Amino acid sequence: MLFKNITMIDEKYDVIKNTNIVVEGNKISYIASTVPEEYCGEVYDGKNKVAMPGFFNTHCHVPMTLLRGYGEGLPLERWLNEKIFPFESLLTDEDCYFGTLLGISEMIKSGVVSFTDMYSHLETLIKAIDETGIKANISNSYLKVGENDDYFKHNSYKETELVRKYMKKSNNDRIRADVSIHAEYTSSERLVRQISEYCNSTDMNMHIHLSETEEEQRICKEKYGLTPAEYFLKCGTFKSKTTAAHCVFVEGDDFNILKENGVTVSHCPSSNLKLGSGIAPLKTMLDYGINVTIGTDGAASNNNLNMIEEVNLAALLHKGINKDPLFLGQKDMLNIACLNGATSQGRENCGCIKVGNRADIVIYDFDKPHMQPAFDVLANILYSAQASDICLSMIDGNVVYKDDVFTNIDMEKVYYNVNRIKNEKLALLRLPSDS
Amino acid sequence: MLFKNITMIDEKYDVIKNTNIVVEGNKISYIASTVPEEYCGEVYDGKNKVAMPGFFNTHCHVPMTLLRGYGEGLPLERWLNEKIFPFESLLTDEDCYFGTLLGISEMIKSGVVSFTDMYSHLETLIKAIDETGIKANISNSYLKVGENDDYFKHNSYKETELVRKYMKKSNNDRIRADVSIHAEYTSSERLVRQISEYCNSTDMNMHIHLSETEEEQRICKEKYGLTPAEYFLKCGTFKSKTTAAHCVFVEGDDFNILKENGVTVSHCPSSNLKLGSGIAPLKTMLDYGINVTIGTDGAASNNNLNMIEEVNLAALLHKGINKDPLFLGQKDMLNIACLNGATSQGRENCGCIKVGNRADIVIYDFDKPHMQPAFDVLANILYSAQASDICLSMIDGNVVYKDDVFTNIDMEKVYYNVNRIKNEKLALLRLPSDS
């Protein structure tokens, strides 16, 4: 495909006007101000359109999209124990398949080309991810594992190996297996060490929740005399390339630990605000040179998977709390949302638009009231754009979404099944269907 | 018009399913679970649609939509003096007309039915507001008025009187004249007293900027030994029904002053964050019983006029900084965004959907990935919705927007002129047209 006479955000996040981008196979093969003479393939008219690198959503629980808005208005403990856990215990593989399709459709519509997920039902996730054309690093976060359980006998291990097998036989690398440790407070030290050793013996990445709440931080210090970051360091977890979600309460030497061990932080501002956790110290992390990225978290706590909103919130929030309108400039923010995310997932040749890179390109339509005038293309993308401005999304050279239509998702079928699942579970939970 | 078999948010912000709403003239005449037998007018199918009261945007500078993204990446003083003020000085009435149409189109698309504006070129604003069908309280905020200037000889006074004349001859009350004092730091005490007396001698409302920045608060206290709120109280400003924008640094007795004088706060979280000002103490204001509302501020600092995003941001932000996920519950938040705004504008029978009220109704389409499942309709509206979910907007009984088309705005003409204005001004400022 040729994106003809389009405005493009290049690898330095500079705005290049009136350029032409050619995609061959899964790669960008040509970028120049003139159209290649020999080109005779499909042409996309770039008038009033901007080609952006796609976003990397580095923390999600995609099947939980099924729980959007369920159990609102309860304090955290009651929300989890009375609402979320009982509902989740009823979810089948098929339910998770439709929940994953729903979540992926929402992510694609907001410019996500790849996401890092922590949940379960991985066979189902493989199916949904494979069908839709998105990329993902997926992992199984066991829960409720006993003190003496053996990880290698556990379903979490089996699912991870299943993804590794899929990777070997797949003709692309869109799906990757990560390993998860859910969190310090949900794991025995024995389990953490066992999983960390397993991950370190492979080429997989690690994905954890870290220092999300004040209570988690306090109790961990009381229990071990260590912060969660110090605890995971001691257990060998950070020997693997790790993405740590939240990091709201990291403190003191934690910053050094994250930096020195190459741990990526997935900053999830919406979820942290909505759950009343607080605001992660992004400025300190960036001052330490930590690889910061953006995650939506799951729809149960966010309540959406809209990366445009997440990136916009991060850009605004940290200017405000640091009282510095120049903090987190446009290029820094886009780098965090794009290239840093690709790096965290171990995806080379991804995260920016340049010749030889994977063709992960998202097209914004600027013919919208809120996108005019366009004095500053990056400012409009960061501070004015809405998900509905995205009119085309290409992942690994495939158009997965164009003009409100998904290439490989039947949204009517998804809506029908999501509603069916909702009503079936409410009936099982003996709740009214319109609760 | 009959909205048939629709889900509705009622005056208590309860969700009423499968109801019917009839609009006659500018009012809601009927709401019930059955369709009135004698009805034979236009029917709107409410399947998968939700009828919400419209938002009241209580602080805007709508012609400044022309400056969206202009001068990004500069510190506040340089941004104002080197970019904003020189550009604004070139704006003609015709420019402001198109800027206002652009801003109104953006507001309508995000569910705004009425806004409170502070700018100039009011004759032009009247024309644009009248054409589009939106409601607005508009005022002229003089700037650069000399120490000894007489308000009654100033253009600001003349423009305000012009709006009052328009109001008298108009057959509706959609446009109202407010009086503005731009801010303490841009006015002499003599001027503040003169304008306050004028406003108090009429039935008009007052609109001011208050305690937006730490510097404003500090310098005012140094100069007068009074906070800005204490200063305006002393000058008699609060004898008029007042809306005070920002209030980020109100402190001590300021809260009592605002409460006791019935001053409305227009909370503008995006603008306050983006300019690095900080976060207004919303919880304390609400604890004092102050009438809190939401404003977008102008697009030069926000950089959009999207009330859905503004309301979502307020709902998240104050949960996070107060570390309380139950703070600002759904109904409280919607009341702030709707009814409190109507109250601040002095618009009775507005701000919620009930029989006898003005027909200010915004329809949300729930057939979107991010709006499913709908366990909790209000949660989806507050935390998941995007402006593009709004498929119809009715103001005073008139459909002003439906399925991406404005009844009375020619967007092609607006885009053409906004771009023309942009390029003309850049040429006058000797800047490259693609800067």
Side-chain angles (χ1 to χ4, degrees), chain B residues 9-47:
Chain B
I9 312 303
D10 76 2
E11 59 191 299
K12 293 173 186 160
Y13 304 105
D14 283 329
V15 177
I16 313 296
K17 300 210 170 183
N18 302 316
T19 192
N20 299 279
I21 309 169
V22 177
V23 172
E24 286 182 83
N26 63 5
K27 285 187 182 141
I28 297 163
S29 62
Y30 173 98
I31 300 175
S33 59
T34 53
V35 174
E37 276 180 30
E38 73 281 12
Y39 185 82
C40 56
E42 192 180 346
V43 176
Y44 186 87
D45 180 5
K47 193 185 172 200

Side-chain angles (χ1 to χ4, degrees), chain B residues 150-215:
Chain B
D150 183 349
Y151 179 68
F152 296 103
K153 288 178 183 162
H154 194 269
N155 192 43
S156 172
Y157 169 74
K158 290 173 197 156
E159 287 203 353
T160 309
E161 286 295 319
L162 190 143
V163 185
R164 293 182 77 195
K165 269 183 208 144
Y166 169 85
M167 285 169 68
K168 276 178 196 157
K169 73 177 188 202
S170 171
N171 61 0
N172 65 62
D173 56 2
R174 288 197 293 106
I175 300 177
R176 294 192 180 199
D178 281 3
V179 176
S180 277
I181 298 171
H182 177 269
E184 175 279 316
Y185 60 93
T186 45
S187 314
S188 67
E189 184 169 336
R190 181 170 169 279
L191 193 70
V192 170
R193 287 186 180 277
Q194 215 176 15
I195 301 174
S196 299
E197 276 167 31
Y198 162 60
C199 188
N200 196 34
S201 72
T202 71
D203 56 355
M204 288 188 283
N205 291 354
M206 176 64 82
H207 193 187
I208 63 173
H209 288 118
L210 188 78
S211 301
E212 180 178 2
T213 69
E214 206 158 11
E215 196 184 16

